[in-house]
Amino acid sequence: MHENLGSSADWVVTGPSNGLAFLVADSGYDIWLGNNRGNTYSKKHTMFLETSYGFRDFRLFYIGYSQGGTQFFVMNSMKPEYNDKIRLGVTFAPAVFLGNTKGAINILSKLSNPIE
């Protein structure tokens, strides 16, 4: 999963020789590139219909950067029934504490409770 204000393209934009998604796919893994805002490709599968058991019968290696890492921790704490689906979670710079941030993100983060 990508960082705040990013997209799944961040994992492939550097091309086949450098993009993490390409490198992992070349090692034989299926790659799912998530988007926080969703996309039109998220329900297509080459073998299973969305209603079949095989569509969701999988175990994951999760990689998240910044906001994507934070989402991993929140999911595991709020939805513990998903924990047995995750074989390994890797987080790069998870955004878990915003106390020392500066600029617009600091101002916006203070509005999260009133907005909620």
Side-chain angles (χ1 to χ4, degrees), residues 96-102 106 109-110:
V96 294
F97 179 72
L98 298 175
N100 294 321
T101 58
K102 307 245 186 291
N106 189 33
S109 68
K110 291 177 182 172

Side-chain angles (χ1 to χ4, degrees), residues 5-116:
L5 303 177
S7 75
S8 60
D10 296 346
W11 300 103
V12 296
V13 72
T14 56
S17 60
N18 292 315
L20 182 60
F22 288 113
L23 298 173
V24 175
D26 288 345
S27 296
Y29 292 91
D30 290 338
I31 303 298
W32 297 357
L33 299 174
N35 279 297
N36 287 322
R37 290 155 296 284
N39 65 42
T40 60
Y41 310 109
S42 63
K43 293 189 177 182
K44 295 187 184 211
H45 196 284
T46 59
M47 293 175 26
F48 299 108
L49 296 174
E50 183 182 353
T51 55
S52 69
Y53 177 78
F55 187 83
R56 292 183 174 84
D57 184 25
F58 51 82
R59 291 179 65 79
L60 299 172
F61 291 89
Y62 183 96
I63 299 175
Y65 172 63
S66 188
Q67 176 183 324
T70 303
Q71 289 172 312
F72 175 76
F73 294 127
V74 171
M75 180 202 61
N76 282 303
S77 64
M78 296 185 74
K79 300 280 189 181
E81 62 270 23
Y82 293 164
N83 291 350
D84 63 348
K85 292 267 189 197
I86 308 293
R87 293 190 66 191
L88 174 70
V90 177
T91 61
F92 299 105
V96 294
F97 179 72
L98 298 175
N100 294 321
T101 58
K102 307 245 186 291
I105 193 71
N106 189 33
I107 295 166
L108 293 172
S109 68
K110 291 177 182 172
L111 297 174
S112 63
N113 285 339
I115 291 172
E116 186 177 322

